[in-house]
Amino acid sequence: MLPYRIGFGEDAHRLEGGRPLILGGVEIEDAPRGAVAHSDGDAVLHAVADALLSAVALGDIGQYFPDTSEENRDLDSRVILARCLTLVRERGYVPANVALVVTLDRPKLGSRRTEIARRVAELLGLAFSEVGVSFKTSEGLAPDHVQVRVTVLLTRVQGDDA
Ligand SMILES: [Zn+2]
């Protein structure tokens, strides 16, 4: 069993008026548009969940939460993340740190960095200092969508010598 495993995840959603924008479990109230999605469209939590699954080679969240299923309509992405965290733990690993990059043209998210990092840390059982949050714009290349990329490092659960 490897002492560490690294995971990578990516997610994007199209933006449209009249929908909330939720990132890392935090609603961005001043966003003029929100994510079009079958679930709540939280691109941060989707990318983190995919990164967790990728670290233990379990595929992606589409396999566990298909967007064709009525059951998953407007699903709270924290439920998706919790399930993926359980799958990782069952394989003997826990997150050690996570780094995420959000690409969004509007609004600027700098003032929400602490809140997003804190929320993601809580959901993953990490310290605030173990969650890196970066914000980029697309420089107008992709103004109609939000995109998130995430790397995660897992360590073996203490005392598990399997
Ligand atoms: Zn998504």
Side-chain angles (χ1 to χ4, degrees):
M1 206 173 162
L2 292 168
Y4 299 104
R5 300 193 68 132
I6 189 162
F8 178 70
E10 194 270 345
D11 194 47
H13 285 277
R14 192 162 53 81
L15 299 171
E16 215 173 79
R19 297 199 47 109
L21 182 63
I22 301 169
L23 294 170
V26 175
E27 183 166 352
I28 311 300
E29 294 91 354
D30 57 335
R33 296 180 295 169
V36 178
H38 190 68
S39 68
D40 66 11
D42 190 328
V44 167
L45 296 192
H46 293 174
V48 171
D50 262 351
L52 289 173
L53 293 180
S54 101
V56 288
L58 281 179
D60 59 65
I61 56 174
Q63 294 170 251
Y64 298 91
F65 299 94
D67 63 8
T68 49
S69 166
E70 266 311 303
E71 209 175 294
N72 299 330
R73 183 172 294 280
D74 299 324
L75 184 65
D76 183 333
S77 294
R78 289 173 295 187
V79 173
I80 297 175
L81 186 63
R83 170 85 188 280
C84 295
L85 203 50
T86 299
L87 289 165
V88 160
R89 285 187 177 132
E90 282 170 1
R91 273 151 189 83
Y93 291 93
V94 287
N97 79 304
V98 61
L100 63 95
V101 182
V102 181
T103 303
L104 180 72
D105 282 7
R106 275 191 321 131
K108 295 276 190 257
L109 294 170
S111 64
R112 314 305 295 275
R113 191 189 319 269
T114 303
E115 201 179 349
I116 291 172
R118 189 163 285 145
R119 198 71 66 87
V120 171
E122 268 170 29
L123 293 170
L124 291 175
L126 290 172
F128 172 68
S129 63
E130 292 163 341
V131 179
V133 178
S134 311
F135 299 121
K136 311 293 285 184
T137 75
S138 78
E139 298 282 350
L141 292 170
D144 300 320
H145 85 302
V146 57
Q147 184 155 29
V148 181
R149 298 172 178 96
V150 173
T151 57
V152 64
L153 184 71
L154 306 182
T155 53
R156 232 159 51 170
V157 175
Q158 216 71 29
D160 185 351
D161 294 322

